Each structure stands twice: as structure tokens, then as C-alpha cells.
Amino acid sequence: MIERLLSSERLLSLHHALQAKQSVLVEGLWNSPKALIAAIAQQATGKNVLILTGASQEEGRLYHDFPFFTNRPVITFPAWETLPSEKIPPSPDVVGDRYQVLHTILDHNEPVIILSNLHACLQRLISPTSFDHLYVTLKKGETIGFETLIQQLNDMGYVRTPVASDKGEFAVRGGIIDIFPVSSPDPFRLEFWGDAIESIRIYDPIGQKSVKPVDEVEVTPAQEMELLQNAQETSTILDYLGEDTIVIFDDILSLEDRYVALLGASNSPTPNFTSIEQFLDAISHRQTLYWTPQPIEELSSIEIIDEDERGYYSEHAMHTLAFQMFNRTLQAKRWNHPFVPLSHFLLPDQEEVTGHDLLLSLNALAHSKIALHLLCNSEPEESTLQKRILENNIKLPDDSTYHIGYLSSGLVVPDCDVMLFPMTEITHRFKIRRQKQRSTYHTVPSQAFDLTPGELIVHLNNGIGRYVGIEKRPNHEGNLTEFFLIEYADQAKLFVPVNQAHLITKYIGSSEEIPKLHTIGSNRWKRAKEQTQRAILGYAKDLLELYATREIKGGHAYPSDTPDMDAFE
């Protein structure tokens, strides 16, 4: 598709500018042309592409637009849930996602496209060399020292527990090592014969029952904050991507707002965060693209750098401009894109346009030279669209093609006569990215929503507290999010995102006595968990002995049911 679109004179000029390693400013974009431009940038330069988005919702929609334009890996790099000034360890789910992204970057010899945000990219990382040393792939039949693996898991930040039931834990029983990698939705059970791995099986972290065998398991480091504190050398995502990286600022106004919000917390270098100034310095010598929904004149005063350029108001010319953002003077070639939204092209005089209106308006293209590409998510959706076109007697252009594909919005490139018309323009149903972080949760998330304010609850990591209610407040990305508000001893408050509901359960006591609230950060809850785990192991031992005794002694075999009993049942 990109080759067909590059017949556009203006898209070809962008391609040449990117090949010449020029930085480019583009105004008035929406998601589908953003994905197209990023794919062209990657193809023209052969570099990695790092896209810094200003809004998480836009990041999600943009993610799904890439596969239609490129087959390069597109991955998201998430941020911790904490701010630079906080000393709270991040969720192991987030740590696992971040480490998996780093492994993908280092493991791929071909360029990748990374979707991230300013917060995530400011967070310091262990160096690529250290990460490579701490990343382990364990295979069935492989020989590795039993004690060596235990020590390596300790070095990687895994915590040894009696039962490995949560991410970041491992357990040792005889010749068996259970590991719950932070980057995996499932834990793994490794059975050794001497120093050889005889079998690897996925197991249920709640019932501890083996589920199915696998041939190998990849184990990433389990911690970030703790490993960073002991690291002699730290890095950023730019160090993993290398010098051959294009950095795209998506919605520079939104990013600058985020920059201002983070400035106070990360202006001085910390063990966990680099300063924004250092990050911008690292980007300054890399090729950059700047995207903004509004004209740059609305955001900053501008200066024309190329004095000899006379065609300033020509929509085809590319002018070098200087503008102010992030307390810096930036320079880029302004490129006037050729993209037109479907509604503006097909129904320019109609203010409110429905999907049905757009579909009917295709009649006007019956005798045009436009190459119409109709995108459907599936074959049944394609059949439904064809049926609607027949029922409404819509005549399509001669050069019309159906594709199984997805875009969040359509676009038209008039100067090469191409129209991309996705079904989302009719249905307004957008793809939602759902990432599976765990196969089994300790608590069904929906149960947490049955809580009543004032009830005692138990948080997996912080112990007994009092549920206050649900509160809406900005999250670490500045987006309004719902949190469970839990009160602990000394009137301390903990805000738990609703997507971490699996960490919360109702308190069920063994007596009618009301327990004291735990203190956040104390060892009281940790000791209680350890005592309970030891008691569970003791109970399991008693059960095993009981069933072994029953197996040895045998039992009484009752006769089969008679026909009368079968009839009665």
C-alpha cells in the first residue's frame, strides 16, 4: 500500500526529506495518517521509530492502525504507575511488560516501532549489558547447575517463598523449582534430574496443580527499582534503541503539558528517573518528527530559517521553521500533508455526517479515477458491507478493492487518487487492546466491586485496611481514572487502580474480634503471610500422609447399582 501511496508527489517529497535525515513538522493529522507517516519514516530510513504520545487513548487507537501499513513489530512501552518523587515499587505486571519490550528490542535485528510516553521514557533502566546477563532462557533437557539457578534467580530480584503463587516469586521443593516470571501470565514448574531439566510444566498458582508441559521458559529480571539502586551504570530506552532511531513527538502541546507536570518531580536526576533536560539533550542529535493537531503559529512564535525561500504560502513547499517548545528552540521542515478526511472529501457541505451518509455518498465516485480500498475486519463483515452496497444500489468506482484489515479512520490522498474507507467510519466500533497479564487471579476482579464503604479488606501487598470508596483522580499519565481508596493505620491512604482489583479481597476473620488496621510499609503483614504459607505447607503434608495411608490400607468396594437403582435415579 505504501508503494501505491508514494505516487503522491507530496508523500514522495516527505520520503526524500526523511531519507535526507531532515526533521519534519506536520500539522492537522489524525490516527490513520500518523501510522502511515511513521511507517514511511521507518521504510525511508531503516531506523527504529519511537513515538511519544500525549494521550493513552490515542496511543491505543494508533497501535491498531499500523498493521495495514507495515509488517514491522509495533510494541508499546508502558510507564510505572508511580511518579518520580515517590519511592513505591511498580506493579510486577508493568515491570514484566517493560522488560519484555526491552528483550524484543535487543532480540530483533530489524527495526521496530515503539509507542510510549514521556513518563516511561524518563525512567532509568539497567544497562543493556546487565539486562542481557540477567535474562535467562531455560529449555527442557538443558543442563544447568541447580544451586546456580537458585542464585541467579536471587540476583534477578526474585523472592524465594514456600509457595510461588505471585509474579516475582520462586519456590524450591526437593528437585523442583517453581518460578512465576513477571513477564508471563503463567508460572512454570521445573523438575530436575541432577543438574538436567527433565520437564517444564505450566501450573495453576492457586491450586498448584500442573496444567500442561512446555519446552522452554523465558525469565526476565523481576525488579526495576531495587536493581537500579544497586546498578553501577543506568540507561534509558534510547540506549536500547541506539543512534539509528527517529523520535516522533505526537501532539507536542499535550506532551509539553506533561513535561510541565513532570518537571518539578524529575528536574533533578534521581536513581530511578533521568531529568527531562538530559532526555531532550539525548534526543537533540537524532532525527525527529513533530505532530500537532493545530497550526504551529497557535502554539509558538515562528521564524523562517531559509531566507531565500519565497514560496512560503505554497502548500507544496517545505520550509525550515524555528519554534519554541519544552523551553527550547526547535527546528524542522514544515510539510503540508495531502490527506483529507472522508467526510470532508465526500460531503464537504454537511456538518453532521453519519456512517450511512458516507456509504451513500460513494455513488458520486462511480465514474471517477479514484482507487477505492474498502477495509473490513473479517470476511463476515465484508459480506455484510457488500450486501448493504447492493441493497442501496451504490455504484462503486471501477478500481474498487476489498481488504481484510483495520484502520480507526479513513483518509483520501487526492493527488494520487487513493481512498481508504474502513468499516469503522460506518460502525464507529474501534479495536480495544486487551493485554493478558495473568491467566489466573487470586480474587475474581468483579468481587471487589461488591465492597461497601467501611468494610475491612485485605490488600495482597499491604494487608488489612478499611475500604472508603471509589474516587476519581488523575493517574500517573494525567488521565482521570477510578481508584479504590483504602485507609490504613495512622490515617494513611492507599489509592489502588480498579484494574488492580485482583489484589483486593474482603476480610474474613476466624473470630468475631475486629482486627487492627495494618501500617503501610511495616513487616507485620509480611510476617503474617509467611506464617500462613508455612501453615498451609504443614496442612498439605498432613493431607499427603492421610491419603498415602488410605492408599496403603485400601478400602471397601461396593457393588454396582442394580437396574432398580438405575430406574429410581
Side-chain angles (χ1 to χ4, degrees):
M1 178 56 66
I2 287 183
E3 285 71 18
R4 174 70 177 87
L5 290 167
L6 285 178
S7 61
S8 161
E9 181 183 343
R10 274 194 274 174
L11 278 172
L12 194 58
S13 69
L14 173 66
H15 192 275
H16 292 329
L18 292 169
Q19 282 184 324
K21 300 182 179 180
Q22 294 176 338
S23 294
V24 180
L25 167 70
V26 192
E27 303 153 316
L29 292 174
W30 58 102
N31 281 329
S32 52
K34 285 178 182 177
L36 172 58
I37 290 174
I40 289 175
Q42 194 283 313
Q43 185 194 69
T45 63
K47 297 179 179 180
N48 294 311
V49 177
L50 173 62
I51 305 175
L52 300 178
T53 60
S56 57
Q57 181 182 10
E58 293 302 309
E59 178 183 317
R61 288 194 179 175
L62 184 57
Y63 174 86
H64 292 290
D65 284 339
F66 278 101
F68 186 73
F69 297 116
T70 180
N71 58 2
R72 295 295 187 195
V74 180
I75 48 184
T76 57
F77 185 60
W80 292 358
E81 317 94 313
T82 58
L83 292 172
S85 57
E86 298 174 330
K87 296 182 179 179
I88 304 172
S91 160
D93 294 316
V94 174
V95 171
D97 288 344
R98 285 167 59 83
Y99 277 139
Q100 196 60 48
V101 171
L102 299 183
H103 172 65
T104 302
I105 293 172
L106 295 178
D107 193 50
H108 273 76
N109 295 323
E110 297 181 342
V112 295
I113 298 173
I114 307 286
L115 279 168
S116 190
N117 54 63
L118 194 60
H119 190 183
C121 293
L122 287 177
Q123 288 167 304
R124 291 186 180 274
L125 305 166
I126 58 176
S127 68
T129 304
S130 298
F131 176 79
D132 206 32
H133 174 70
L134 292 173
Y135 190 95
V136 179
T137 300
L138 303 170
K139 298 181 179 180
K140 179 182 175 182
E142 181 183 24
T143 299
I144 182 173
F146 189 82
E147 295 297 331
T148 302
L149 179 57
I150 292 174
Q151 183 57 49
Q152 190 160 10
L153 291 172
N154 283 318
D155 295 341
M156 295 166 70
Y158 284 85
V159 178
R160 184 169 178 173
T161 58
V163 178
S165 59
D166 198 12
K167 288 189 175 186
E169 296 178 346
F170 78 99
V172 182
R173 296 187 309 281
I176 294 174
I177 298 179
D178 290 346
I179 311 171
F180 202 150
V182 293
S183 59
S184 170
D186 300 293
F188 297 87
R189 178 161 292 149
L190 281 65
E191 189 170 355
F192 282 76
W193 181 260
D195 285 339
I197 301 176
E198 190 174 56
S199 69
I200 303 176
R201 292 167 288 169
I202 294 174
Y203 69 90
D204 175 13
I206 298 176
Q208 296 289 306
K209 182 180 179 181
S210 295
V211 177
K212 67 175 182 180
V214 294
D215 292 328
E216 65 179 43
V217 53
E218 295 180 342
V219 186
T220 67
Q223 299 171 348
E224 277 200 75
M225 183 179 288
E226 293 81 357
L227 292 178
L228 282 171
Q229 290 172 350
N230 299 322
Q232 295 180 350
E233 179 186 0
T234 60
S235 304
T236 67
I237 185 67
L238 295 174
D239 297 310
Y240 280 79
L241 291 170
E243 293 296 325
D244 288 337
T245 301
I246 296 177
V247 181
I248 300 178
F249 291 84
D250 179 15
D251 192 350
I252 53 179
L253 179 60
S254 178
L255 285 169
E256 187 172 53
D257 290 341
R258 187 63 185 149
Y259 158 77
V260 172
L262 289 171
L263 189 60
S266 62
N267 195 36
S268 299
T270 69
N272 300 328
F273 286 80
T274 185
S275 73
I276 293 176
E277 295 303 322
Q278 287 176 328
F279 183 75
L280 293 175
D281 286 340
I283 289 176
S284 60
H285 63 278
R286 287 177 168 87
Q287 190 174 1
T288 50
L289 274 71
Y290 304 96
W291 294 342
T292 170
Q294 59 273 91
I296 190 65
E297 287 86 354
E298 295 182 12
L299 307 179
S300 166
S301 58
I302 65 168
E303 178 186 353
I304 304 173
I305 302 300
D306 297 326
E307 295 291 346
D308 58 341
E309 293 181 348
R310 296 290 179 252
Y312 178 78
Y313 292 101
S314 168
E315 63 178 11
H316 297 284
M318 292 184 69
H319 309 279
T320 303
L321 304 178
F323 55 95
Q324 300 290 325
M325 279 288 161
F326 311 109
N327 290 330
R328 294 182 174 222
T329 300
L330 306 174
Q331 290 186 16
K333 288 271 189 181
R334 171 150 59 180
W335 178 66
N336 293 301
H337 71 77
F339 309 117
V340 181
L342 291 184
S343 58
H344 292 182
F345 185 83
L346 294 170
L347 299 167
D349 300 324
Q350 194 168 324
E351 292 184 3
E352 295 185 6
V353 177
T354 65
H356 187 65
D357 292 337
L358 280 178
L359 193 61
L360 293 178
S361 67
L362 292 177
N363 266 318
L365 305 178
H367 303 291
S368 70
K369 296 180 180 180
I370 280 186
L372 174 62
H373 299 270
L374 297 155
L375 279 62
C376 305
N377 284 324
S378 60
E379 290 182 1
E381 193 172 83
E382 181 180 323
S383 300
T384 301
L385 179 59
Q386 290 174 341
K387 184 179 179 182
R388 288 185 65 176
I389 289 173
L390 287 174
E391 288 175 349
N392 290 280
N393 296 317
I394 299 172
K395 294 182 179 180
L396 302 178
D398 293 336
D399 189 2
S400 296
T401 311
Y402 288 90
H403 301 269
I404 301 299
Y406 172 87
L407 284 177
S408 60
S409 54
L411 61 88
V412 183
V413 186
D415 66 338
C416 67
D417 294 323
V418 172
M419 175 183 290
L420 304 181
F421 194 114
M423 274 291 285
T424 48
E425 292 281 3
I426 301 173
T427 63
H428 301 292
R429 291 197 296 266
F430 303 101
K431 280 188 176 181
I432 299 174
R433 191 181 184 207
R434 295 182 176 92
Q435 291 180 280
K436 183 179 179 181
Q437 293 180 319
R438 297 168 187 253
S439 296
T440 306
Y441 290 90
H442 293 281
T443 305
V444 178
S446 60
Q447 291 180 358
F449 292 89
D450 296 332
L451 296 171
T452 303
E455 272 190 295
L456 293 179
I457 61 93
V458 180
H459 187 278
L460 182 64
N461 299 323
N462 296 288
I464 300 172
R466 181 178 291 104
Y467 174 67
V468 178
I470 291 181
E471 183 174 316
K472 285 188 175 182
R473 57 187 290 131
N475 64 7
H476 64 285
E477 294 181 345
N479 301 320
L480 197 63
T481 307
E482 288 187 336
F483 290 84
F484 294 107
L485 177 56
I486 305 171
E487 183 181 1
Y488 283 88
D490 302 324
Q491 297 183 337
K493 294 182 179 179
L494 179 69
F495 293 91
V496 181
V498 293
N499 61 4
Q500 294 184 17
H502 60 279
L503 298 177
I504 299 173
T505 185
K506 292 183 178 182
Y507 171 78
I508 302 174
S510 58
S511 65
E512 295 184 0
E513 182 181 353
I514 299 176
K516 293 181 179 180
L517 302 183
H518 284 164
T519 302
I520 294 179
S522 70
N523 291 324
R524 180 182 163 200
W525 173 241
K526 182 181 178 182
R527 289 195 299 269
K529 285 202 299 182
E530 290 173 350
Q531 290 171 1
T532 303
Q533 288 170 341
R534 285 195 292 269
I536 291 172
L537 285 176
Y539 181 61
K541 178 176 177 291
D542 293 342
L543 282 176
L544 287 172
E545 290 177 350
L546 174 62
Y547 280 100
T549 303
R550 287 177 175 175
E551 185 71 22
I552 293 171
K553 287 187 175 181
H556 177 72
Y558 288 90
S560 302
D561 288 348
T562 63
D564 290 340
M565 176 59 72
D566 292 336
F568 173 74
E569 289 176 347

